[in-house]
Amino acid sequence: MSSSSDFQQDRHSFSGSPQKWTDFELPGDTLYYRFTSDMSNTEWGYKFTVTAGHLGRFQTGFEILKQMLSEERVIPHLPLAKIWEWQVGVACRQTGHQRLKAIHLLLKIVQCSRQGDCDLTLLKPLWQLFTHMENNSCHDTAKPGILLPLHRALAELFFVTENRVTELGSLQEYLLALNTEDHLHRCTAQ
């Protein structure tokens, strides 16, 4: 099976029992297949199921949302509060490049949102991750001054968010919402 008629692109070959076949994805809207029998068995033949594109694919959703958030005339028509809530959840669950992309979208939402569009308290798990990374980078003498991409992305997100809530006059509420009571007691004691 392939996404090209010459069977050179996205090629998947299978042979033998059904247990050897695995699910796979092909880009595009066309599937080419070729079946060849070696005549060793006289069984039924073959069967496979093709399912059209999946809703909720991360890269597709990322590209669409990024484009929508880049269009100033579209932003007022977006349910930013719902998108924010969903995107924070995605940033908390994903890892690697997908998490970085989710944080990138959070940053765009913060920059284009109005007061009340985003429940900033939802950032608490990402804040805890960021503060953990901050504390560990201070103790890592092997690589001084080098931040991981996730650390840099979170630093930018929280820097921009803090500036935004300062503009809106709700910095104190924001900081109280992100920190645990234990953390606030330690800071007060220091």
Side-chain angles (χ1 to χ4, degrees):
M1 296 181 201
S2 176
S3 62
S4 65
S5 60
D6 63 0
F7 292 90
Q8 297 303 308
Q9 295 177 2
D10 307 303
R11 183 180 173 146
H12 296 269
S13 296
F14 301 98
S15 178
S17 66
Q19 290 77 20
K20 292 183 179 180
W21 290 59
T22 59
D23 289 349
F24 62 93
E25 294 181 17
L26 288 178
D29 61 358
T30 306
L31 164 75
Y32 296 91
Y33 67 94
R34 182 181 315 151
F35 175 74
T36 307
S37 174
D38 65 2
M39 305 293 227
S40 63
N41 287 328
T42 57
E43 295 186 28
W44 179 81
Y46 65 97
K47 176 182 176 181
F48 58 90
T49 303
V50 177
T51 306
H54 299 277
L55 292 175
R57 300 294 304 171
F58 186 88
Q59 187 62 31
T60 303
F62 169 77
E63 293 297 334
I64 291 169
L65 192 51
K66 182 175 79 169
Q67 187 61 39
M68 291 173 72
L69 291 169
S70 298
E71 298 287 333
E72 286 186 36
R73 68 187 196 293
V74 173
I75 292 170
H77 305 286
L78 295 175
L80 284 182
K82 196 71 180 159
I83 293 170
W84 174 261
E85 182 181 333
W86 173 73
Q87 201 60 38
V88 170
V90 170
C92 290
R93 286 188 308 273
Q94 294 297 337
T95 59
H97 290 293
Q98 290 183 342
R99 177 179 270 173
L100 290 174
K101 288 179 177 184
I103 292 169
H104 172 79
L105 291 177
L106 289 173
L107 187 57
K108 287 182 86 63
I109 294 169
V110 165
Q111 291 169 326
C112 69
S113 67
R114 298 175 308 269
Q115 188 167 4
D117 280 345
C118 305
D119 179 0
L120 298 175
T121 63
L122 296 175
L123 290 174
K124 191 169 188 168
L126 293 175
W127 175 254
Q128 291 170 339
L129 174 62
F130 175 66
T131 55
H132 176 75
M133 294 178 94
E134 282 285 295
N135 292 337
N136 286 346
S137 72
C138 293
H139 303 313
D140 189 359
T141 57
K143 299 177 186 173
I146 298 175
L147 298 180
L148 296 171
L150 175 59
H151 194 165
R152 286 195 314 268
L154 288 170
E156 184 177 8
L157 174 64
F158 287 111
F159 177 75
V160 170
T161 303
E162 186 175 319
N163 286 337
R164 188 78 173 113
V165 296
T166 301
E167 289 171 10
L168 298 172
S170 54
L171 180 61
Q172 185 175 353
E173 294 86 4
Y174 167 73
L175 293 175
L176 287 172
L178 290 185
N179 289 290
T180 62
E181 192 172 319
D182 184 48
H183 179 74
L184 293 173
H185 286 300
R186 281 196 314 270
C187 289
T188 304
Q190 288 178 347

